Amino acid sequence: MMECSWKAILLVAFASLGIQYSAIKSLRKANAPCPSMPILNQCLQKDIKDNATRLLCEDINKLRSSHKEQTRKHIIIFATTRTGSSFVGQIFNQHPDVFYLFEPLYHLQKSFNDFGLQTEKTQKLIVGAFRDLLHNLYNCGFSFIENSLSWKPQNHIARSMFRRGVSIALCSPPLCDKVQKVESVCLRKCKPLNFTLVSETCLKYKNIAMKTVRMSEIIDLRTLVEDPRMNFKIIHLVRDPRGILASRISTFIDIYQQWQIWNTTGKQPRNIDFEQITTTCTDLSNSVKTGLSRPSWLKGKYMLVRYEDIAMDPIKKAKEMYDFIGLDWKEEVQLWIEQNTNVSIAIKEKYSSGNTKFSTNRNSAENSENWRLHLCLDIVQKLQTLCGVTLSLLGYKMVNSVEELKNLSNSLVEPRIFLPFT
Ligand SMILES: *[C@@H]1O[C@H](CO)[C@@H](O)[C@H](O)[C@H]1NC(C)=O
Ligand SMILES: *[C@@H]1O[C@H](CO)[C@@H](O)[C@H](O)[C@H]1NC(C)=O
Ligand SMILES: *[C@@H]1O[C@H](CO)[C@@H](O)[C@H](O)[C@H]1NC(C)=O
Ligand SMILES: *[C@@H]1O[C@H](CO)[C@@H](O)[C@H](O)[C@H]1NC(C)=O
Ligand SMILES: *[C@@H]1O[C@H](CO)[C@@H](O)[C@H](O)[C@H]1NC(C)=O
């Protein structure tokens, strides 16, 4: 047999995986014959004939998967309101190795609003502050959050933070005496948050996930994504803007009152404000264009997911997201999805009152196109004019008649496959 430099071969193989050479020391197969290159491709095969190669591949694959495990992932669910982001957040919250935070930008945005700073001029500053806060949090720092709470914590102790109760990590030992998975029970039974302890606890988790609806465009994440200390995995969650609007009208009743009137009377109020939904659509299309143009800074870090596809088959989509991120599939995740997408348990989006605002239980069997029964054609057509680009980018069909709009047997969601950018 020809002698060969195993070190050199392994070095090449592992460099491509980003594994440190020092991790390979345990592999000493200097006497084995040289494999025909490339070794990593060989190791993907099922039946490896050569014994030495097989043994080596076993070692390599073991190291490979433990490496995959070891790298802390910074998962972000990037969305806008009423796109099912709470539901998707839960898909990650249920994983025992994930430290999950629900909308951590809430407090900071609130302080900006309280100061009357939410203007065009300060927008850049705010986005920068959001990024800094996220950076702080992804590294388990809670000092920024502490600073932005309106009730000032004493000795790092605060009664709560926004939606603490939906984060399993924040409602489990050592932050709570025992695991409380029901939001209201967590708030009632768990002790106040000690942010020093929150920080220590966070560091023990392998991965961190957050969901936010407060950044406008994917491009706003760029400087953060390119920071070599970060290991971002972006789930870009989108939904048909007509569905978003219908859901908002019934959820944020005060803000969308004029739309409600339009929908019920069939007459467009004169002072109706199109700005918000137009901005939503522009942000959506800009972000989708950025993501789908596959810029190098998003390589390995970006996956576009349509809410409608999740609703159609939540387990399948959840597995795809896990796969993309490199997270092991867990029984408790499967169970949670099954329980929370069941017709008889889950509460659907309601179109009559705001009761279920922010509910995380979304029904998969519920037709994700139910909005079609809750918007009049006029509104739908207006939206199609305002959001045409977004609709066609994401594969949502337009309608031109009441018959087309109301007949749910013809889906408006074109089958599209958006492969993760790996
Ligand atoms: C390879 O391993 C198998 C099973 O472990 C053994 O039966 C076989 O003799 C080995 N072949 C050589 C060439 O060592
Ligand atoms: C908060 O947690 C830290 C770290 O575990 C601990 O040292 C500190 O005493 C705690 N503070 C209070 C007031 O309990
Ligand atoms: C939904 O939940 C009910 C009550 O727990 C159960 O009887 C039923 O089999 C479930 N259906 C599905 C499709 O999981
Ligand atoms: C719009 O009006 C229709 C018919 O009156 C009603 O069924 C629907 O729930 C309304 N939609 C919303 C979002 O309130
Ligand atoms: C809805 O569309 C389907 C398929 O195109 C058609 O067979 C059905 O008659 C339509 N229903 C109504 C009420 O128009």
Side-chain angles (χ1 to χ4, degrees):
M1 293 291 171
M2 200 181 88
E3 280 286 307
C4 70
S5 167
W6 277 101
K7 266 193 184 170
I9 288 170
L10 291 176
L11 193 58
V12 171
F14 281 91
S16 70
L17 292 176
I19 297 178
Q20 301 266 318
Y21 177 65
S22 59
I24 315 169
K25 278 184 189 146
S26 61
L27 293 169
R28 292 239 167 76
K29 297 277 188 272
N31 296 328
C34 271
S36 52
M37 295 264 262
I39 183 75
L40 285 179
N41 289 353
Q42 278 193 40
C43 292
L44 291 176
Q45 279 157 14
K46 280 254 162 57
D47 299 307
I48 301 167
K49 298 256 159 51
D50 177 60
N51 284 356
T53 309
R54 201 186 58 241
L55 286 176
L56 179 65
C57 282
E58 278 168 16
D59 282 347
I60 288 180
N61 287 338
K62 226 181 275 166
L63 201 56
R64 209 177 180 176
S65 62
S66 77
H67 172 74
K68 211 165 142 195
E69 281 262 298
Q70 275 159 18
T71 321
R72 183 186 281 267
K73 286 154 190 111
H74 301 134
I75 304 159
I76 189 163
I77 297 145
F78 189 96
T80 179
T81 51
R82 311 314 294 170
T83 51
S85 60
S86 304
F87 181 86
V88 176
Q90 284 301 318
I91 292 177
F92 295 102
N93 186 33
Q94 300 302 318
H95 194 292
D97 299 333
V98 170
F99 186 94
Y100 175 68
L101 293 175
F102 181 107
E103 195 50 83
L105 303 181
Y106 170 86
H107 293 288
L108 190 54
Q109 182 165 60
K110 192 161 173 306
S111 5
F112 279 125
N113 288 349
D114 291 349
F115 281 121
L117 278 179
Q118 191 68 292
T119 69
E120 191 118 354
K121 272 188 186 158
T122 53
Q123 201 51 44
K124 260 199 157 134
L125 191 74
I126 293 171
V127 172
F130 281 169
R131 268 196 304 263
D132 286 348
L133 175 57
L134 289 176
H135 192 278
N136 192 232
L137 289 168
Y138 278 115
N139 290 290
C140 292
F142 283 78
S143 50
F144 284 23
I145 278 271
E146 247 190 82
N147 270 326
S148 59
L149 291 177
S150 49
W151 53 91
K152 289 290 163 230
Q154 296 286 313
N155 296 320
H156 309 292
I157 309 275
R159 182 63 236 159
S160 192
M161 62 185 270
F162 186 57
R163 305 300 305 277
R164 169 195 182 173
V166 293
S167 162
I168 295 177
L170 292 180
C171 301
S172 299
L175 301 173
C176 188
D177 292 335
K178 54 180 198 208
V179 184
Q180 301 293 359
K181 291 197 180 176
V182 178
E183 183 171 14
S184 57
V185 181
C186 168
L187 297 183
R188 209 169 55 244
K189 296 242 166 109
C190 295
K191 56 196 176 201
L193 284 175
N194 171 346
F195 281 108
T196 314
L197 188 57
V198 172
S199 193
E200 286 173 5
T201 308
C202 167
L203 283 168
K204 299 207 171 92
Y205 280 77
K206 285 210 196 102
N207 305 288
I208 304 184
M210 303 185 204
K211 83 118 184 174
T212 182
V213 295
R214 281 173 168 74
M215 302 277 282
S216 329
E217 294 187 18
I218 289 282
I219 194 89
D220 294 336
L221 289 176
R222 179 165 177 179
T223 50
L224 194 53
V225 171
E226 287 180 314
D227 188 315
R229 293 166 293 182
M230 304 300 292
N231 181 20
F232 256 100
K233 297 287 173 187
I234 303 169
I235 299 289
H236 183 201
L237 182 65
V238 298
R239 181 183 185 184
D240 188 327
R242 294 166 298 186
I244 294 178
L245 180 69
S247 180
R248 285 185 185 167
I249 292 176
S250 51
T251 311
F252 308 120
I253 294 178
D254 299 343
I255 304 172
Y256 287 87
Q257 206 168 23
Q258 296 298 317
W259 292 87
Q260 185 88 50
I261 293 169
W262 185 0
N263 177 58
T264 349
T265 61
K267 275 209 206 102
Q268 176 184 336
R270 258 189 296 163
N271 54 351
I272 195 152
D273 183 7
F274 292 116
E275 195 187 321
Q276 209 161 25
I277 194 69
T278 309
T279 306
T280 298
C281 285
T282 316
D283 288 349
L284 262 172
S285 59
N286 286 344
S287 293
V288 169
K289 279 180 198 159
T290 303
L292 297 185
S293 71
R294 319 220 140 186
S296 57
W297 60 276
L298 281 178
K299 189 168 169 48
K301 303 172 194 289
Y302 178 84
M303 179 176 183
L304 178 72
V305 181
R306 293 190 301 186
Y307 164 83
E308 292 81 3
D309 293 326
I310 298 180
M312 191 106 72
D313 193 343
I315 304 244
K316 174 166 167 269
K317 264 295 159 199
K319 282 186 171 161
E320 284 175 22
M321 291 188 278
Y322 267 57
D323 227 39
F324 155 65
I325 291 169
L327 271 181
D328 301 332
W329 188 248
K330 294 276 184 199
E331 198 58 36
E332 39 282 61
V333 180
Q334 172 107 17
L335 205 67
W336 186 88
I337 295 176
E338 278 168 7
Q339 282 169 353
N340 288 278
T341 50
N342 181 316
V343 190
S344 57
I345 302 171
I347 301 167
K348 308 180 202 179
E349 260 173 344
K350 276 202 193 153
Y351 284 96
S352 48
S353 81
N355 285 346
T356 53
K357 222 195 288 214
F358 304 125
S359 88
T360 47
N361 301 352
R362 211 53 76 73
N363 194 331
S364 74
E366 164 214 11
N367 195 326
S368 65
E369 295 185 56
N370 249 0
W371 60 266
R372 293 164 64 181
L373 305 177
H374 298 279
L375 283 187
C376 64
L377 183 65
D378 245 19
I379 295 186
V380 170
Q381 287 189 312
K382 178 70 192 179
L383 220 59
Q384 290 176 170
T385 323
L386 295 174
C387 301
V389 176
T390 312
L391 292 173
S392 72
L393 271 175
L394 293 171
Y396 300 124
K397 291 180 208 156
M398 307 218 187
V399 292
N400 296 307
S401 67
V402 175
E403 292 71 36
E404 274 181 277
L405 175 63
K406 304 297 177 191
N407 190 343
L408 295 186
S409 20
N410 302 321
S411 174
L412 300 182
V413 183
E414 287 168 15
R416 289 262 180 109
I417 294 169
F418 297 99
L419 291 175
F421 181 22
T422 51

